[in-house]
Amino acid sequence: MRALVLVLVGIGFGCLAGEGLVRLGTANQKNYVIEMWRYAKLLKRPSDDPAVGHEHVPGASARLQNVEISINALGLRGPEPVPGRPAVVLAGDSMTLGWGVEQDDTLAAQLARRLGGDVQVLNAGVGNMTVPQIVAHWLEVRRRIGDAFPIRALVLLPSSRAGLPQPAGDAGWLVRHSELAALVATFWGQATSGAAGRDEMIAAYRAAWTGPEGRARIAGAFDGLAAETRADGIRVIVAQLPDTNDFRTYDFGFLAETSAREAKVRGWEFVDLYPPFAGETAADYWVMSGDIHLNAKAFGRIADRLAPLLAAPAS
């Protein structure tokens, strides 16, 4: 019995030491896994709507990956919206949020500058959301907005990861409170996912975007959105973000094909955002080595593509 107690005490001290070393080693805020863990812990909360899953905490702020992220009263990243001023809304996941990018360099901010002061651009991007969650979150935000200001257009910006199924279940108390546990859980998930290599990753995304279950999942979300926006008379533009792993050998054309088809069926406009980056070195557009989120330069190119479209009348 005493030997067992000693073993358990030793394991406990080892875990505490490991936790301390992980926290010390990630204090520079350059570990992507830990920074995303901190994002979930400091800026997000469970949503009352299971379809949304999680949402931002209104009024919260934190410095993550050495970038300040502030959430306004609507639960959106960025400054408080101006009542009465027409708005363009960007809906998506962490790409749209502008993970790793300063507020003034986000797509929302750069697009607002190009559109001029008469239009405000609201950033409804929330990290780790699937297409159905993005749509459900937007519908919840729409209810919060009410008649505060007219919405000129909704731009859906699905990333390649947004087409994947929504993860099931809760991460658990230990993962929510321990950086060491979060790292171990992430590495274990990657090792057992069966999609560690490039070919496996492409196959997983292709199945999610073009397989029967994936197409039904995306179509169902878009159907719900179509009903709401039709009633409000809101212009919808689907702007497909490219997969950011490799812009030279690009095997993700099915992303745009799926989104374009679903947009056309509902009478929405569509724009493929891969061509501005075709043939480029993908790493030049990452926020940092090992983190393939788009950087400020990439958002500049996307803003240049979207601004004329938004400034023109609906087609």
Side-chain angles (χ1 to χ4, degrees):
M1 183 66 179
R2 181 179 179 182
L4 177 60
V5 171
L6 289 175
V7 169
L8 292 176
V9 170
I11 291 174
F13 276 115
C15 289
L16 288 174
E19 181 72 19
L21 288 173
V22 168
R23 289 180 181 264
L24 181 63
T26 60
N28 61 2
Q29 297 193 2
K30 292 184 178 181
N31 184 288
Y32 170 74
V33 172
I34 294 304
E35 291 308 294
M36 273 291 181
W37 175 84
R38 294 180 63 238
Y39 169 47
K41 188 176 178 66
L42 299 174
L43 296 187
K44 292 200 288 188
R45 67 184 183 187
S47 171
D48 292 335
D49 184 351
V52 178
H54 56 268
E55 61 187 9
H56 288 144
V57 178
S61 65
R63 190 160 187 83
L64 303 167
Q65 206 158 292
N66 295 303
V67 168
E68 190 71 22
I69 297 181
S70 297
I71 308 301
N72 63 30
L74 286 177
L76 312 179
R77 183 182 184 185
E80 297 296 333
V82 180
R85 181 182 295 174
V88 169
V89 180
L90 308 183
D93 58 12
S94 56
M95 288 285 191
T96 302
L97 172 77
W99 176 259
V101 177
E102 297 288 353
Q103 170 59 32
D104 286 346
D105 293 326
T106 60
L107 176 59
Q110 295 199 50
L111 195 54
R113 290 195 290 271
R114 286 162 173 77
L115 293 176
D118 293 336
V119 178
Q120 56 187 334
V121 180
L122 306 186
N123 185 349
V126 179
N128 299 312
M129 278 196 164
T130 65
V131 170
Q133 287 178 290
I134 290 167
V135 170
H137 176 250
W138 152 247
L139 295 178
E140 174 60 30
V141 171
R142 179 72 186 94
R143 286 187 280 272
R144 293 178 196 168
I145 291 173
D147 298 324
F149 42 78
I151 299 171
R152 180 173 293 182
L154 170 67
V155 183
L156 283 177
L157 290 147
S159 70
S160 55
R161 289 188 60 83
L164 297 173
Q166 182 175 346
D170 187 277
W173 183 91
L174 186 60
V175 171
R176 292 197 305 271
H177 292 85
S178 166
E179 291 190 9
L180 175 61
L183 281 177
V184 171
T186 298
F187 294 149
W188 177 255
Q190 292 173 345
T192 59
S193 67
R198 176 184 172 84
D199 291 343
E200 291 81 5
M201 177 187 69
I202 294 171
Y205 283 139
R206 186 182 298 278
W209 281 85
T210 67
E213 291 184 8
R215 290 181 61 179
R217 185 170 56 246
I218 294 171
F222 282 6
D223 283 342
L225 177 63
E228 292 279 347
T229 54
R230 192 180 303 114
D232 286 346
I234 295 175
R235 179 185 181 188
V236 178
I237 300 171
V238 179
Q240 180 62 55
L241 291 167
D243 184 88
T244 54
N245 280 281
D246 186 350
F247 291 151
R248 290 181 175 172
T249 305
Y250 193 72
D251 297 310
F252 292 87
F254 55 84
L255 301 175
E257 291 171 3
T258 298
S259 291
R261 180 178 58 251
E262 297 298 334
K264 182 178 179 180
V265 167
R266 293 162 184 82
W268 298 339
E269 297 163 80
F270 173 78
V271 56
D272 183 3
L273 295 175
Y274 168 64
F277 303 99
E280 299 275 4
T281 301
D284 291 343
Y285 298 94
W286 296 350
V287 293
M288 71 176 191
S289 178
D291 184 346
I292 62 174
H293 282 85
L294 294 171
N295 62 18
K297 182 169 68 169
F299 286 142
R301 288 201 179 183
I302 293 173
D304 287 342
R305 178 68 182 88
L306 292 178
L309 184 64
L310 289 164
S315 59

